Structures are given as C-alpha cells and as structure tokens.
Amino acid sequence: MQNKNARESENAGEELKVAIEARGLTKQYGEFTAVNGLNLKVFDGEFFGLLGPNGAGKTTTVKMLTGLTKPTKGEALIMDANIMERPLDVKRVIGVVPEVSNIYVEMTAWENLLFAAELYDVSRGEAIERAKMLLEVFGLYERRNDKAANFSKGMRRRLAIAMALIHSPKVLFLDEPTSGLDVQSTRNIREVVRRLNRDGVTVFMTTHFIDEADNLCDRVGIINRGQLAALDTPERLKQMIGGKLSVEISLQPIPSLEELKEVSSDVTKTGDKFIVYTESPSTTLSELVKLANVKGWRIISVRTLTPSLEDVFVKLTGLTAVDVERLELIRPSGKGRSRE
Amino acid sequence: MNINISLKKMLVIAAKDIKTYYGKPPSLFYGIVLPFALFGAFLAGRPCVTEEYRVVGVTVLSTFFGGTTIAAVVLPLERRSGTIDRLILAPISFKTLLLGKSLAGFMFSFPVTLLVLSIILPFTGFWNLNPLLLVVSIALSVIFSCAFGLAFSASANDVADVMWPMNFVRFFMIFFSGVFMPIDEIYLFMPSLKFIAYLLPLTYSVDAVYQSIVGINDLMMLITDFTILITITVMLYYIAYRRFIKTLT
C-alpha cells in the first residue's frame, strides 16, 4: 500500500521520495518541438498517467525518461540518478514496455523471458522461478513453449510486459499498454499493473484512454503539443474545469420535456432519459422525486453526473468530442460524463 | 562494467542472434550462397587461376561475406521489429551490445570458413600450410569483416538500406584486392593504379591468408597485414559505435 502512503504523505505535506523527475525536458527534431520544457515529479509508489492525444509527446517523454533518446535540453532522473550520466544504474531499476511489443517472435515465450533475465543478470534459479510466475500471472504458462510468432497481439503484449518485469523493477514505464487489445488482455494487464503498484512499484503509464487513466492513476498529467497542460489527481482535475452538474433520470411513462421544465428550465432529452442541468443536484433530485410522485411516474433509474476527465481532456487539448470518440473507439465504455 | 559480466552479456546477445537470425533468408543468401556463387562464376570464367588462389579466394570470400552479412542483417532487423530497444534499455554498455552483435557474425563466418577449408584442403598439395597462422588470419579477417558490416548497419532501419551501399563497396573490394588473382595481374595494364589495392583492407586479409597457406614468404608484409587489419577493425568499431549512439539523439 505504498502508493496510498505516498498520497497520504503528500496530503500531509511531508517530503516525498521522488522516483521519476523531469527537469525542463525538451526534445526537438529539426524545427519540430516534440516535448517542450517538461517539468514533472512522480513519487515513489505512485501510479502516474500521462494522458494526451496522438502526437502530443507522450512516447517521446517516455523515451527521454528511459534513455532511449537523448533530450535536446533538460535532464531526466530516476531514483535520483541522471539517466544520461548513470545509464546502467538507472536501467537496472526500471522496466520499460514500449508502444510496440518488442519480443523475439522466433523464440518461445519461455526463451524470451530467460533471455530478458540474462540481460539483467538475474540468476538462473530466480529467472526460472520468476518466468514461471509471470507466465502464470499473464495467462501464458500453457503456451510457454510456443513461438511468440504464433501469439495474438494481446498475448504478445502480455509477454512484453512479463519481460519488463523479470528483474523486479522498482519503476515501470508503460507506453500505451492496452492500445488495440482485446477485453481479456486489457483486463489482465490492468489488474496485474494495479497489483504491482499496490506492492510498491512506481508506475508511469502513457495512454490516450481516458477511462484507463481515471480508473488507475493516482495523478494524471495531460500533455498537449509537447507541453504539460495540467497535472493533478483525476478528481481535482475534474473540479478544476468546473462546468455544470446534472441529474440523469429515466421515467415511466416517458413524460414530455415541457413537463420536466417545471423542475428546471435547462433540460435535454437523450434517448429515453432526461438530463436536468443544475447547480445543486441534491435539491433537483428531491424535486424530481416529488414531481414523479405527484404525476404518478415510476423512476426507472436516476444518477448524478459530474464533469468527467474526458471533459478536462477536451477542454485542455482543444479536441472536439468527436475526436475523443475516435480515440476511444476500442472501448466505448470510457465515454461520457462520469457516473456517481 | 566488470569484464566477465560484459563478456557474458556479449555471449548472451550472440547466442540469441544465432538462434534468431542465422536462418533468415538475407543471412543465408548474402552470407553463404552469394560468395560461393561468385566464386563458382569466377572459376567458370577463369579456369586458369592457380590452385592456391582458388583456396585463398574461397577463404577470403567466406570470411568477408559471412562476417559482414550477419552484422549487417541483425541490427536492421532488430531495429525494424523494435527489439533493439530491449537491448538499449538493458543494463549493458553500448560497446558490449555492439561487440555481442559482431560476435554473432564471428560465430557464423569463422566455423563456416573452417568447414569449407577442411573439405577443400585435403584435395590440395599445400604442405607448407601453417595451421595456426591460418586460423589467426581467418579469425582476424572475420573480425574485420564483422566490424565492417557493423559500421554500415549501426544506424540502418532496413536490411536493404545496408545491403545496397555495402554490396557496392564489397564488390569493389573483392575485385581490386586480389581475392581472385594476384594484385600484379589485376593491375597489369594499369600498374599506376596498384596503390588502390593497398588502400583496401581486404588486400591485407588476402595476403595474410595467402602466406598462411603457401608458407611465409614476406614476414614484414605479414606483420603489416595484421597491424593494418587490427587498426582498421578498431576504427570501424569506433565508427559503428558513433553511428549507433547517434541514433539515440
């Protein structure tokens, strides 16, 4: 429960141990600036999400933080060690899962894991033990002797993550870990990563899935056009942008819009539901219940809606709702305002 | 980094490359089929070439194409599949990584060349052959070839991007370095251009192998051969290292 401790300590204003730090990280490719002066601290045991549209600079940020690319300006520190000055020390404590599942398809899952273990000086006995455990956790043990070429995209992804964990890293970088995966693989990966974080591993994850960041991360940074547009806990980010609160209600028989305007003038109808915008959801809710009793309507469902992380994302990145829909095509569950 | 750990990691990388890339079509074609096809074509066209030059030719072609090809194939394939990132992200120095890659080339070309020679030599009458010197000459030639392939491929993303310029240089070298016939004969009609041969490192590889097979006839030249091959190999590794580092910027 180290991450919880980290949050509690943060609230108490205590000095926290920094696991990942970006100081003015900048990356330029010719005239194009992919990341511009990024300053960021991720605390030990924290689950941090970097959210942003495609091309915002998420992958470049991970590459600079892990030593895959040299920053044009600024520096990256992992556990107080500068990646450019002490690369081997840093690489020993980090596990990295890049956007592309970088496994050797000509080798079996078992061979891939043992090869990764040898790269990190994991002893033979420990490597075998960990490889077995990781393959079981990721549901690949039965297929351990199959060449990775025969694996589905989800299985390859799970194997890539298992390889990144073979040396028990203290800090795990995940670049779009569930992008384009089936539901089973996505759930498996999220569950394993959540468990790792609970066990004290600091997780730095990039994603363009808003619900993923909202559900998994202690804090979220929103990056747009190479710059950090916002950085806070998901809930504080939602509060930050303000916006209208509302009550969503479904009634039987379905009343007319005019009838509901007795409660509030700002009502819209979506499908068989009504959304009543309000400053005070609790007052509106009791008025709606009272109206339903008077009119003899049966309440099928009711819930209050607050601004979602998607609203924050849209506001800060300047994307339209249609753009966000496109980003979330694979998992439509993350759309819309958050339910409470 | 501890030298034992570096050596172990070089072997780990080389062993993985052997398992993963030796059977790939570009490795087999450019590393084995092409040099022997070239040699066969040359013999068919020039049957008058002396026996010792046949053996020297096939030996040098085998070392040169085998060593250069594996090094040139492995890195672009790793880069294209993204697996090179796994090696870059591992706690291994880039020098160890590149040496591991060239070790894979060595472990391909060296045994293939020895195998070919062990088949050919019993049918020849080279009683002055110096086995130790031959093994050293072949090993040095292979190491030079691996460094050569690595220097070309250190920043490439695709095998084709490496093979086109590298084949241009490789063919130029094999035709002007005395691989198929003595240098004097190559430049018979233009002796003033003979200096070209001495600018090409493969010339020293050819001479070292030649003297190992027919007997040492010029010790100074043999020492020069080894010195130049080692110097050029070190330079090529440095170039490969700089080019590799540049891909990270």
Side-chain angles (χ1 to χ4, degrees):
Chain A
M1 295 292 172
Q2 209 172 334
N3 59 335
K4 256 190 181 165
N5 294 340
R7 282 194 300 270
E8 282 160 10
S9 303
E10 188 192 3
N11 293 337
E14 286 172 24
E15 189 72 17
L16 289 171
K17 193 178 170 196
V18 176
I20 304 166
E21 186 173 1
R23 291 182 188 160
L25 270 189
T26 302
K27 185 70 190 178
Q28 281 180 300
Y29 297 103
E31 294 294 301
F32 174 69
T33 305
V35 176
N36 193 1
L38 184 79
N39 288 301
L40 183 70
K41 276 182 186 174
V42 177
F43 300 104
D44 195 17
E46 191 175 28
F47 200 131
F48 183 84
L50 191 61
L51 195 61
N54 291 335
K58 302 188 295 292
T59 297
T60 307
T61 301
V62 170
K63 282 185 169 182
M64 286 191 287
L65 289 171
T66 56
L68 267 177
T69 194
K70 201 176 159 187
T72 312
K73 264 192 282 181
E75 51 186 8
L77 292 94
I78 307 290
M79 299 287 185
D80 295 327
N82 187 315
I83 181 80
M84 286 297 142
E85 288 164 10
R86 291 165 54 196
L88 300 191
D89 290 339
V90 169
K91 288 172 184 179
R92 276 188 200 100
V93 298
I94 63 171
V96 185
V97 184
E99 202 173 356
V100 177
S101 296
N102 55 352
I103 56 170
Y104 291 97
V105 293
E106 298 86 354
M107 302 197 315
T108 66
W110 186 255
E111 288 169 339
N112 266 289
L113 279 165
L114 289 196
F115 172 65
E118 284 178 313
L119 289 179
Y120 286 86
D121 298 319
V122 179
S123 69
R124 184 82 182 164
E126 195 189 337
I128 288 171
E129 203 176 292
R130 280 196 63 79
K132 190 170 177 287
M133 183 270 288
L134 286 165
L135 287 171
E136 277 169 353
V137 163
F138 284 104
L140 295 171
Y141 190 71
E142 299 302 316
R143 304 285 304 271
R144 66 190 180 281
N145 294 321
D146 289 357
K147 284 195 172 174
N150 302 322
F151 283 8
S152 68
K153 192 178 176 184
M155 290 164 78
R156 288 180 187 205
R157 197 79 184 133
R158 282 181 271 156
L159 179 58
I161 298 175
M163 287 171 81
L165 296 172
I166 193 79
H167 59 294
S168 313
K170 289 180 184 162
V171 180
L172 180 65
F173 287 90
L174 299 159
D175 193 3
E176 305 279 0
T178 59
S179 185
L181 300 190
D182 57 285
V183 176
Q184 190 195 357
S185 295
T186 300
R187 283 184 153 205
N188 177 255
I189 289 169
R190 284 181 178 178
E191 184 47 42
V192 173
V193 175
R194 195 180 276 134
R195 212 182 311 153
L196 278 167
N197 179 246
R198 269 202 302 264
D199 293 340
V201 175
T202 306
V203 181
F204 185 105
M205 179 182 75
T206 74
T207 182
H208 58 243
F209 293 129
I210 296 160
D211 63 322
E212 191 165 72
D214 199 4
N215 293 328
L216 290 173
C217 300
D218 296 326
R219 283 192 308 150
V220 170
I222 296 180
I223 189 168
N224 189 34
R225 292 175 188 164
Q227 286 185 309
L228 204 57
L231 174 66
D232 215 324
T233 63
E235 291 312 311
R236 275 192 220 150
L237 283 173
K238 291 170 199 171
Q239 285 169 12
M240 184 184 85
I241 64 154
K244 283 183 178 175
L245 305 173
S246 56
V247 176
E248 184 191 87
I249 191 163
S250 173
L251 298 156
Q252 201 60 254
I254 300 172
S256 70
L257 204 59
E258 289 307 314
E259 286 176 294
L260 279 178
K261 283 192 175 171
E262 287 177 28
V263 175
S264 167
S265 57
D266 198 356
V267 186
T268 57
K269 187 170 182 288
T270 56
D272 64 342
K273 299 176 195 69
F274 294 89
I275 297 173
V276 185
Y277 294 96
T278 174
E279 294 294 323
S280 169
S282 57
T283 312
T284 304
L285 190 57
S286 55
E287 285 174 8
L288 281 169
V289 172
K290 210 181 290 172
L291 184 68
N293 286 337
V294 170
K295 300 275 187 180
W297 301 327
R298 195 159 56 90
I299 298 173
I300 306 295
S301 69
V302 63
R303 54 192 164 186
T304 60
L305 306 177
T306 59
S308 68
L309 198 55
E310 180 181 311
D311 296 325
V312 182
F313 186 79
V314 168
K315 187 163 183 175
L316 294 174
T317 59
L319 290 178
T320 63
V322 176
D323 294 328
V324 176
E325 290 259 353
R326 222 182 295 137
L327 284 171
E328 295 265 1
L329 265 182
I330 297 159
R331 275 197 306 283
S333 61
K335 290 185 295 180
R337 297 157 75 85
S338 66
R339 272 79 171 145
E340 287 180 347
Chain B
M1 190 189 270
N2 184 313
I3 195 151
N4 284 338
I5 294 176
S6 297
L7 203 63
K8 191 184 151 202
K9 288 187 178 174
M10 273 167 59
L11 285 168
V12 166
I13 292 171
K16 185 269 299 167
D17 285 348
I18 290 168
K19 201 178 291 178
T20 313
Y21 299 112
Y22 275 15
K24 295 275 181 193
S27 306
L28 297 174
F29 178 73
Y30 290 107
I32 295 178
V33 177
L34 186 63
F36 291 103
L38 266 177
F39 184 72
F42 180 78
L43 278 189
R46 292 285 306 251
C48 57
V49 71
T50 61
E51 192 176 39
E52 60 263 36
Y53 260 90
R54 282 183 208 160
V55 178
V56 171
V58 78
T59 306
V60 173
L61 277 178
S62 175
T63 60
F64 190 50
F65 274 83
T68 50
T69 297
I70 294 299
V73 164
V74 168
L75 267 179
L77 286 179
E78 289 246 24
R79 197 162 270 127
R80 199 174 58 182
S81 65
T83 49
I84 192 71
D85 287 354
R86 183 167 294 287
L87 301 178
I88 294 170
L89 289 164
I92 305 171
S93 74
F94 295 143
K95 285 172 196 148
T96 304
L97 196 164
L98 291 175
L99 286 172
K101 291 283 160 205
S102 61
L103 185 60
F106 183 87
M107 287 157 94
F108 178 86
S109 182
F110 189 68
V112 167
T113 306
L114 289 187
L115 179 72
V116 169
L117 275 178
S118 66
I119 294 167
I120 293 173
L121 283 176
F123 299 101
T124 64
F126 300 142
W127 309 117
N128 288 330
L129 184 141
N130 184 330
L132 182 66
L133 189 63
L134 182 62
V135 168
V136 172
S137 300
I138 290 171
L140 264 181
S141 301
V142 174
I143 294 168
F144 149 72
S145 304
C146 293
F148 184 91
L150 215 55
F152 269 89
S153 66
S155 60
N157 290 310
D158 196 85
V159 175
D161 293 343
V162 184
M163 285 303 172
W164 185 86
M166 195 171 79
N167 277 339
F168 179 78
V169 180
R170 283 201 296 198
F171 282 110
F172 183 83
M173 282 171 80
I174 60 168
F175 286 116
F176 292 96
S177 297
V179 173
F180 295 118
M181 62 176 86
I183 292 170
D184 289 338
E185 279 185 43
I186 298 170
Y187 298 96
L188 191 64
F189 300 105
M190 283 180 287
S192 59
L193 293 181
K194 203 172 161 183
F195 75 93
I196 292 172
Y198 294 103
L199 291 176
L200 303 173
L202 201 63
T203 302
Y204 304 95
S205 192
V206 170
D207 187 68
V209 172
Y210 181 80
Q211 291 205 51
S212 314
I213 289 175
V214 300
I216 299 170
N217 53 25
D218 186 343
L219 185 62
M220 271 315 290
M221 188 59 198
L222 190 64
I223 293 168
T224 309
D225 293 339
F226 286 172
T227 309
I228 288 180
L229 278 176
I230 291 168
T231 309
I232 298 225
T233 299
V234 171
M235 283 166 60
L236 287 169
Y237 274 122
Y238 181 73
I239 291 168
Y241 177 74
R242 297 306 310 173
R243 293 190 75 194
F244 187 78
I245 294 284
K246 216 174 168 194
T247 61
L248 304 177
T249 57

